[in-house]
Amino acid sequence: MKVILRKALPDDYEQIAFVHYKAWLETYTGLLPESFLKNRTLESSINIFKNNLCSNTVVAIVEGKIIGFCGWGPLRNNSFEENFGEIHGIYLLDSYKKHKIGRKMLEFALEKLSTKNYPKVGLWVLSSNENAIHFYKKLGFSDTGIVKEENLGEIITESFLQRKSKKAYPGICFFILMTDKKKTP
């Protein structure tokens, strides 16, 4: 499988919105209230990405189709009195997981944040999403012990993870081509 990573373009918004919508359902079924997930729509995701022009977003493309994305920027709602960058979200369709695509998208975003001189990068993750927490910890994030609660029809808890920013990631460039190499007998 050949995967291309590139910075998102404003015209990518419909495909990004589809990944956002579908990945929410795939990832959060069983982790978030069913009533909340039933109220999510493709149209609401389209509006989000159409309005933000897909800025500060990397997309993963397979066979001409966007199958994942990762967004970054300054820490939203920063109450830490520190200069934080934030991974705003990372979404990948289930059928493309376990191919290191999420890792490459995250590394791309971290490299972009490092050029903005953020000494730390943080992200919020659903506290019950053990797969995501394990993924982020493998990539150098640690749990700060900071949590917040949100009412989505029932109370859910999110944990704040952070890592110290590293300057430039060697080998990362604007376009990244990945392939699965299969050995033949």
Side-chain angles (χ1 to χ4, degrees), residues 108-125:
F108 186 107
L110 290 169
E111 192 277 328
K112 293 296 183 187
L113 284 167
S114 75
T115 66
K116 302 291 184 190
N117 295 317
Y118 290 110
K120 295 178 183 176
V121 175
L123 57 85
W124 290 98
V125 61

Side-chain angles (χ1 to χ4, degrees), residues 44-128:
S44 64
S45 290
I46 287 172
N47 288 331
I48 291 168
F49 294 98
K50 184 177 185 178
N51 293 331
N52 81 6
L53 304 175
C54 304
S55 61
N56 294 330
T57 302
V58 59
V59 293
I61 301 168
V62 173
E63 296 177 3
K65 193 169 109 179
I66 294 173
I67 52 91
F69 70 93
C70 180
W72 68 88
L75 183 64
R76 300 168 288 185
N77 306 317
N78 188 348
S79 60
F80 298 110
E81 297 181 16
E82 291 185 61
N83 188 23
F84 266 94
E86 180 182 0
I87 299 301
H88 292 164
I90 182 169
Y91 297 90
L92 183 63
L93 298 176
D94 273 356
S95 57
Y96 295 95
K97 291 181 178 174
K98 306 293 184 197
H99 295 281
K100 299 189 182 205
I101 299 168
R103 176 187 191 103
K104 294 296 182 187
M105 289 190 303
L106 184 61
E107 288 173 345
F108 186 107
L110 290 169
E111 192 277 328
K112 293 296 183 187
L113 284 167
S114 75
T115 66
K116 302 291 184 190
N117 295 317
Y118 290 110
K120 295 178 183 176
V121 175
L123 57 85
W124 290 98
V125 61
L126 187 63
S127 299
S128 60

